[in-house]
Amino acid sequence: MKQSMTLIPTLREVPADAEIKSHQLLLRAGFMRQNSSGVYSFMPLGKKVLQKVEAIVREEMDNAGAVELLMPALQQAEFWQESGRWYTYGPELMRLKDRNNREFALGATHEEVVTSLVRDEVKSYKRLPLTVYQIQTKFRDEQRPRFGLLRGREFIMKDAYSFHANQESLDAVYENLYKAYSNVFSRCGLDFRAVIADSGAMGGKDTHEFMVLSEIGEDTIAYSDTSDYAANIEMAPVTVKYEKSSEELGSLEKVHTPGQKSIDDVASFLKTDASNLIKSLLFKVDEKYVLVLVRGDHEVNDIKVKNFYNAEIVELVDPNETKEVLGCAVGSLGPINIASYVEVIADLAVESMVNGISGANEEDYHYVNVNPDRDFNVANYIDLRFIQEGDPSPDGNGHIKFAKGIEVGHVFKLGTKYSEAMNATFLDENGRSQPMIMGCYGIGVSRTLAAVAEQFNDEKGLVWPTNLAPYQVHLIPVNMKDESQAELAEKLYGELKKQGMDVLMDDRHERAGVKFADSDLIGLPVRVTVGKKASDGIVEVKIRKTGEVLEMETVELVQKLKELLG
Ligand code: ATP
Ligand code: MG
């Protein structure tokens, strides 16, 4: 491709609202442009990389026995109503009406569509298992679209769905696709980890997320410093064995704590440690009020609350409503003498607290010498807090450390959530009707592209791995007005293309400095410069990643490039 014929609008300045490297560089190097918040055009270079990522995904999915199809992005509301998600998915689902006032959604994901499709076409165990996938544009009205392609409102996903007659079959396909995913992200050169995850609204049990390790990741991974245990922080169980001190129980006493609201304020005011405080948070769990207690130095993990109640929705109650229920807004909440319709659950650490401190449900007052079970009732003691660095690793090996990750892929065992809700059944060997068992598997294709850009760059620009680079070779005649340079470049361009190489030739009438800066910014693996020595048949080869420069005669060029590009 000649640069005069394509569109690579590079920028010198860093675009104002692009906070992270990949977003800045993909814009600056002309790989993409923003249309509206979270919505982007892939420019020719971006589209080429996207195709390369897609090709890797396709190859690995096909190898794993999945078959590609393409489902509509425009989805009738009825499917979503059947599964119930029309009512629970929330504002992330983009909804619209057609001219006849029928409701539709733009596909955020395709469980509903694929389940309806397979239920109509597959009736017998003989057609199972079946794994289908597609690479398609998805729509999610994200609350905070940011970091460019990492969190878009319109983005490209590979989504796969598997259907099974029994659990073993699902387990086997899950494992295959887990391997396929590992292959995809390895082939993209990414530094990643598969971590145990929460199935959230999807309603599954077994699930893993593929996380690219990166400072700018929005997810926190809890991993063991000695074993290969790794989990999404929400999912890591806390296995600390708490010891109860033998201190004598003091008598409950209400104390004045004027203006002391936060845990730290109260602790320092009462000259004690946060770990002697009981932190109380009022949640609405579906329709029920639940007061959740954790130790003052711990944080409530609402996913654990949600999973304990098997609830659809867990929300912190706002201050006004809290005041109505407990008699006090946040700052002095506590479990003592509260209405019987509020259920109290507590983290395991609270069970072993002796002579603790809690809010008195009265502004500016706390109780001291608070003792669980003596002073208030607890419906259940369970693990409710976030794991912390230094806690023992849940697999029994080593201690927990944290890292940040970008979720690029997700594999779930869905079970029968959708097949039951949508009546996707098959006849088993005995002629009995059974709901199909399902799995689903997503890769953020455009997010993966951004994750690669985030990992592979330097101060001059992008540094593409050879297999994902939009072109392999950047051929640069320094001065297009110099006939011998222009001629030699043209000749090499033809030759390299004939050798099957993907070449981008900068045939623009620009200054050398501009061409080189753009070339570094775009980041193709190898640059071939045709300069002053063109008339002697000598060119310069520069490796983008190392900066290494080699001078050679054009007769050696093809061989050398083949070596360099593998
Ligand atoms: P996140 O927690 O980042 O919002 P998710 O759990 O909502 O992700 P899934 O529903 O599992 O994501 O979607 C499958 C894959 O699609 C994710 O692993 C991710 O790589 C990608 N993805 C999800 N949301 C976006 C988005 N807004 N922009 C780009 N890619 C996304
Ligand atoms: Mg999401």
Side-chain angles (χ1 to χ4, degrees), residues 20-46:
I20 57 164
K21 273 276 157 211
S22 58
H23 189 190
Q24 294 171 353
L25 289 172
L26 289 169
L27 287 171
R28 282 190 55 212
F31 282 63
M32 65 182 213
R33 281 295 180 264
Q34 180 177 310
N35 295 61
S36 65
S37 168
V39 181
Y40 295 89
S41 295
F42 287 89
M43 304 301 277
L45 289 181

Side-chain angles (χ1 to χ4, degrees), residues 76-370:
Q76 59 187 91
E78 284 83 352
F79 289 156
W80 288 78
Q81 288 159 355
E82 261 187 81
S83 75
R85 283 207 292 184
W86 186 255
Y87 314 103
T88 56
Y89 206 95
E92 251 184 49
L93 189 64
M94 299 248 192
R95 299 162 208 247
L96 64 155
K97 287 187 178 146
D98 72 4
R99 63 172 74 203
N100 299 315
N101 236 12
R102 279 186 62 188
E103 289 184 298
F104 285 83
L106 291 179
T109 170
H110 276 67
E111 282 77 14
E112 283 79 2
V113 175
V114 78
T115 305
S116 89
L117 191 70
V118 173
R119 105 181 135 191
D120 291 345
E121 307 304 331
V122 175
K123 310 281 186 197
S124 160
Y125 73 94
K126 289 180 196 152
R127 293 292 304 119
L128 298 175
L130 174 67
T131 307
V132 297
Y133 77 95
Q134 63 177 348
I135 296 179
Q136 196 213 31
T137 303
K138 295 280 187 279
F139 300 87
R140 293 184 184 179
D141 198 357
E142 298 276 358
Q143 189 163 22
R144 268 189 91 198
R146 62 186 207 138
F147 292 171
L149 299 178
L150 284 182
R151 187 169 295 285
R153 295 196 299 161
E154 175 178 325
F155 59 96
I156 297 176
M157 196 201 284
K158 187 287 301 172
D159 46 328
Y161 306 89
S162 68
F163 296 83
H164 309 268
N166 55 54
Q167 186 66 35
E168 296 72 57
S169 164
L170 170 62
D171 293 346
V173 167
Y174 185 91
E175 207 182 302
N176 264 346
L177 289 177
Y178 183 104
K179 283 187 203 138
Y181 274 40
S182 299
N183 294 344
V184 166
F185 300 122
S186 299
R187 288 176 65 181
C188 290
L190 289 166
D191 181 14
F192 71 96
R193 249 174 129 152
V195 311
I196 302 163
D198 177 58
S199 49
M202 305 297 292
K205 276 200 303 205
D206 232 336
T207 120
H208 287 87
E209 285 171 356
F210 287 79
M211 293 282 188
V212 172
L213 302 184
S214 165
E215 281 297 305
I216 56 105
E218 292 184 314
D219 296 291
T220 303
I221 302 163
Y223 67 96
S224 163
D225 56 3
T226 56
S227 74
D228 64 359
Y229 178 87
N232 197 315
I233 184 174
E234 281 103 31
M235 283 309 289
V238 175
T239 55
V240 178
K241 298 272 171 286
Y242 303 99
E243 300 280 331
K244 195 163 185 153
S245 93
S246 52
E247 196 182 317
E248 214 171 292
L249 305 194
S251 53
L252 189 67
E253 201 184 317
K254 198 189 267 184
V255 295
H256 194 208
T257 49
Q260 312 302 315
K261 297 231 182 288
S262 73
I263 290 283
D264 288 340
D265 288 349
V266 177
S268 66
F269 183 81
L270 296 175
K271 299 192 173 49
T272 182
D273 196 83
S275 62
N276 290 323
L277 269 70
I278 297 174
K279 190 189 283 184
S280 309
L281 293 174
L282 186 65
F283 284 91
K284 192 109 176 245
V285 179
D286 290 338
E287 287 311 303
K288 179 174 176 154
Y289 288 111
V290 177
L291 190 66
V292 178
L293 312 181
V294 293
R295 219 167 68 184
D297 58 333
H298 293 156
E299 298 298 331
V300 174
N301 178 344
D302 50 356
I303 302 263
K304 289 183 179 176
V305 176
K306 189 169 174 207
N307 288 346
F308 174 68
Y309 284 102
N310 208 352
E312 286 286 339
I313 298 167
V314 170
E315 284 176 325
L316 206 56
V317 177
D318 70 53
N320 285 336
E321 199 177 335
T322 302
K323 193 160 187 178
E324 278 167 35
V325 176
L326 293 176
C328 167
V330 274
S332 281
L333 302 184
I336 298 173
N337 293 330
I338 56 171
S340 59
Y341 63 85
V342 180
E343 185 161 296
V344 178
I345 59 173
D347 181 64
L348 293 167
V350 174
E351 190 171 19
S352 60
M353 287 176 77
V354 175
N355 297 332
I357 296 161
S358 80
N361 293 324
E362 192 180 331
E363 200 155 336
D364 293 342
Y365 283 92
H366 281 77
Y367 281 116
V368 297
N369 294 329
V370 175

